Amino acid sequence: AGSFKRYFDGSDVGLTTNGEDIDALAILPNGDMVFSTAGLMKAGGRKALDEDLVRFKPNLSSTGTNTSGKFFMYLDGSDLGLNTTYNEDVWGVSIDHNSKDIYLTTRGPFTANGLSGVMEDIFACVGPTPGWKTAYASQDMFWQGGSWGYAGERIDGFHIYMDPGP
């Protein structure tokens, strides 16, 4: 039971090329979207690569079939060391709304400032300060899929639920 309703029309805000297809998505508590694209994104006066995360802040009451808003850089993947190969394209994202830690998966094998993993792993950018120059406290491996029988599988979407506590 239920129905679907359009939340975001990327073509309304300039996402029109194949490289601008969204391949990782998280929604912030205020309704802003954080996403990565399959390739180069050039929309709303912003540019981002496939290892970056962009924040879309919709204008008040302007989601759905008449989407409007502004783009901001949320995470510059090259600041994490993600920019050396096509495989380091961000394919999954989840954001802890309390700590603001960012959890990521990639298209394939990655090396991010000394942390290495493969497409079935999830790593965390701990203590980030989002923006064009992404600062963070550390990068940590969060989940190694191969250790849990998930070897050789690509994670292209996930959500990590963080219990807000009492």
Side-chain angles (χ1 to χ4, degrees):
S3 62
F4 288 97
K5 179 179 174 186
R6 183 181 305 221
Y7 184 76
F8 178 77
D9 184 342
S11 66
D12 287 348
V13 292
L15 298 177
T16 57
T17 69
N18 287 339
E20 293 171 332
D21 291 346
I22 293 173
D23 60 5
L25 173 69
I27 305 291
L28 299 177
N30 67 355
D32 289 6
M33 296 173 53
V34 174
F35 63 88
S36 182
T37 57
L40 175 64
M41 182 204 97
K42 290 196 277 186
R46 300 282 183 216
K47 287 185 182 179
L49 301 173
D50 60 6
E51 71 268 8
D52 299 333
L53 293 176
V54 175
R55 182 176 184 161
F56 178 76
K57 183 167 195 60
N59 292 330
L60 189 61
S61 301
S62 65
T63 58
T65 56
N66 293 309
T67 303
S68 66
K70 294 184 179 181
F71 293 100
F72 302 91
M73 180 62 79
Y74 192 77
L75 180 136
D76 183 341
S78 64
D79 290 338
L80 303 181
L82 296 175
N83 65 353
T84 58
T85 71
Y86 174 69
N87 284 323
E88 293 181 343
D89 176 0
V90 170
W91 267 37
V93 62
S94 186
I95 300 169
D96 182 333
H97 301 305
N98 296 314
S99 70
K100 309 297 185 229
D101 294 347
I102 303 168
Y103 298 85
L104 301 165
T105 62
T106 57
R107 174 181 174 78
F110 68 90
T111 300
N113 293 339
L115 181 69
S116 295
V118 290
M119 64 189 175
E120 67 262 18
D121 296 339
I122 300 172
F123 70 100
C125 178
V126 179
T129 303
W132 286 105
K133 288 293 181 189
T134 306
Y136 57 93
S138 66
Q139 288 173 204
D140 300 318
M141 189 62 68
F142 177 76
W143 190 72
Q144 291 182 297
S147 298
W148 296 92
Y150 202 72
E153 299 295 329
R154 182 175 290 132
I155 300 173
D156 60 0
F158 68 100
H159 175 74
I160 299 172
Y161 175 74
M162 301 296 180
D163 187 351

